[in-house]
Amino acid sequence: MAVDIKLKRANKVYHEEETLSGVVILTSKEPIQHQGITLTMDGAVSLQLSAKSVGVFEAFYNSVKPIQLISNNIEVAKAGKFPSGRTEIPFEFPLKVKGSKVLYETYHGVFVNIQYTLRCDVRRPLLAKDLMKSCEFILHSLPQKGRLTPSPVDFSITPESLQNVRERTPLPGFKIRGRLDSTNCIITQPLTGELMVENLDVPVKSIELQLVRVETCGCVEGYARDATEIQNIQIADGNICQGLAIPIYMVFPRLFTCPTLETTNFKVEFEVNVVVILQDDHLITENFPLKIYRF
């Protein structure tokens, strides 16, 4: 015997106030005796501390519990018997929250995870094994109304503009300039811009674009802030022509990014790094904080 959950929408994307609907599919070669079938919908935020923060925030680590956003339970079939073959049982869940709670967008991070799941439990008679099947559905926050005002950024990287340079470290001469079309980004549209190497004493090995998530988990004792890489895209390879405009184009990956989020317990922010690696393995990095929206 097998149990499966099939949602009405193939892409599994839903919004708050909508109705989550689909069917529970039971297939068996012979008639099935069961003690009842239940369906549970859950939405929660799981917080985790990185290894370096565990000792510092021990109280937080011990008390960190998932933040429940939505929970609902329905009985789709009372105890009874199903015939052999395939049986479909339809179901519906309203995606509505009680009180002032908010349904945050689905997000798969390292230390912050926002996930929505459906779980089907088939209780079997005494000696038969209970069956369980779960599936994830994606929740998108409602698009904001109006238009987003672009915030273009022009940048110029020179030895004088760098921070965190070790003293007495001889740096080669260079000048790299470029532009990001906007640091206010729409999640469904790419991050765009261009970069140009104007002057460089040492040949370039590679130029990369690095998307970083900055996750902050907090409690009364303080906040643990951790930055981790989401994706790294190489935009130039080898010693490129000086004065040549290199396009910057990065698509925000689904599930691993979400609109910038700030709550009392946690924050999810994003940054992009322009990384220039020289042949002598010098690493030049320029950081830009991003604000991501859904429009």
Side-chain angles (χ1 to χ4, degrees):
M1 179 189 172
V3 61
D4 198 13
I5 302 168
K6 194 171 183 182
L7 296 174
K8 220 169 196 176
R9 294 183 187 171
N11 64 0
K12 298 185 179 180
V13 175
Y14 291 84
H15 299 88
E16 196 174 338
E17 302 292 322
E18 288 185 343
T19 300
L20 178 72
S21 58
V23 288
V24 173
I25 302 167
L26 297 157
T27 47
S28 175
K29 290 177 183 174
E30 50 201 44
I32 316 157
Q33 193 81 31
H34 67 92
Q35 303 292 96
I37 299 172
T38 56
L39 202 57
T40 308
M41 174 182 66
D42 260 316
V45 181
S46 342
L47 303 177
Q48 202 181 328
L49 280 187
S50 62
K52 70 180 171 79
S53 310
V54 170
V56 185
F57 304 115
E58 211 164 315
F60 174 69
Y61 192 72
N62 294 335
S63 65
V64 64
K65 288 178 187 155
I67 302 165
Q68 195 81 39
L69 301 175
I70 191 169
S71 186
N72 210 332
N73 188 293
I74 53 170
E75 188 177 52
V76 290
K78 287 186 162 59
K81 199 173 187 178
F82 285 119
S84 59
R86 177 185 165 111
T87 307
E88 292 190 0
I89 310 165
F91 66 84
E92 280 191 353
F93 275 114
L95 289 170
K96 286 183 182 172
V97 284
K98 291 171 185 170
S100 58
K101 282 191 176 177
V102 178
L103 291 182
Y104 304 122
E105 183 157 326
T106 297
Y107 167 70
H108 292 189
V110 177
F111 306 108
V112 177
N113 247 312
I114 304 169
Q115 211 164 0
Y116 298 87
T117 54
L118 270 177
R119 194 184 80 237
C120 178
D121 292 289
V122 181
R123 294 192 301 279
R124 303 289 309 282
L126 194 60
L127 296 172
K129 191 181 175 185
D130 287 356
L131 293 172
M132 192 273 282
K133 175 74 179 180
S134 63
C135 82
E136 184 183 4
F137 64 94
I138 316 298
L139 196 106
H140 280 179
S141 51
L142 291 166
Q144 295 182 16
K145 292 180 172 68
R147 287 186 73 237
L148 183 65
T149 311
S151 55
V153 173
D154 291 301
F155 60 90
S156 178
I157 312 170
T158 60
E160 295 73 43
S161 72
L162 293 181
Q163 297 172 342
N164 303 327
V165 179
R166 289 183 195 154
E167 285 179 33
R168 300 191 199 90
T169 304
L171 281 176
F174 60 85
K175 185 177 182 185
I176 301 160
R177 64 180 182 84
R179 170 188 172 90
L180 291 178
D181 293 333
S182 181
T183 52
N184 286 342
C185 305
I186 298 173
I187 199 165
T188 52
Q189 293 177 11
L191 172 73
T192 56
E194 66 174 36
L195 179 138
M196 186 187 291
V197 176
E198 287 195 348
N199 171 32
L200 202 53
D201 292 351
V202 177
V204 172
K205 195 178 191 178
S206 174
I207 301 179
E208 293 164 6
L209 211 56
Q210 185 186 44
L211 184 63
V212 173
R213 58 169 90 79
V214 183
E215 296 164 324
T216 310
C217 300
C219 62
V220 181
E221 290 182 333
Y223 285 88
R225 188 175 185 271
D226 292 281
T228 48
E229 183 186 293
I230 300 174
Q231 68 180 11
N232 196 319
I233 294 173
Q234 186 180 43
I235 58 172
D237 183 27
N239 192 21
I240 51 161
C241 299
Q242 295 184 10
L244 176 72
I246 301 163
I248 290 172
Y249 189 96
M250 180 186 270
V251 175
F252 295 110
R254 189 176 178 228
L255 303 181
F256 299 105
T257 52
C258 67
T260 303
L261 194 54
E262 192 168 335
T263 73
T264 47
N265 297 90
F266 66 93
K267 279 198 291 190
V268 180
E269 298 161 300
F270 299 93
E271 295 174 354
V272 70
N273 293 328
V274 174
V275 183
V276 180
I277 304 162
L278 305 181
Q279 290 284 13
D280 60 2
D281 286 334
H282 266 109
L283 200 72
I284 303 160
T285 306
E286 190 78 0
N287 175 272
F288 303 94
L290 301 177
K291 281 262 188 193
I292 301 182
Y293 302 89
R294 187 175 287 284
F295 270 84

